[in-house]
Amino acid sequence: MLPPLQTIPSSPKPNVAGHFLAAHPWRDKPFVAQGQRIEAGAVVGLVKIGLLYAPIVAPAAGTVDAVIAEPGATVGYGTPIVRIRPLAGSSPIN
């Protein structure tokens, strides 16, 4: 039996392949940290493709359980970046 939907962790995934950045190149502070509460649509990281930076957004509001991807790591379409524990009653974005 599966747990209720709000207790199943979600993970934002990039739509492109490139190098993962936890922070914007002009800032020292990462977009998210473990234990941080975030809203659906919040930027949780960037994927660098040449000179382009593509945002990775949270699919649902919740609390960051872990940042899975290492900064600078090569990530591809569907690579888990951050594990998010959704808030009860929050609905995912499409």
Side-chain angles (χ1 to χ4, degrees), residues 6-74:
Q6 64 268 19
T7 63
I8 298 172
S10 65
S11 181
K13 298 172 178 78
N15 292 326
V16 294
H19 295 278
F20 173 67
L21 300 175
H24 189 279
W26 294 350
R27 296 186 173 189
D28 294 328
K29 185 178 176 186
F31 288 103
V32 295
Q34 186 174 357
Q36 180 179 343
R37 187 171 172 172
I38 58 173
E39 296 299 321
V43 175
V44 298
L46 299 173
V47 176
K48 182 179 181 192
I49 314 129
L51 298 176
L52 176 69
Y53 296 92
I56 305 166
V57 298
T63 303
V64 176
D65 275 349
V67 178
I68 301 167
E70 293 291 326
T74 301

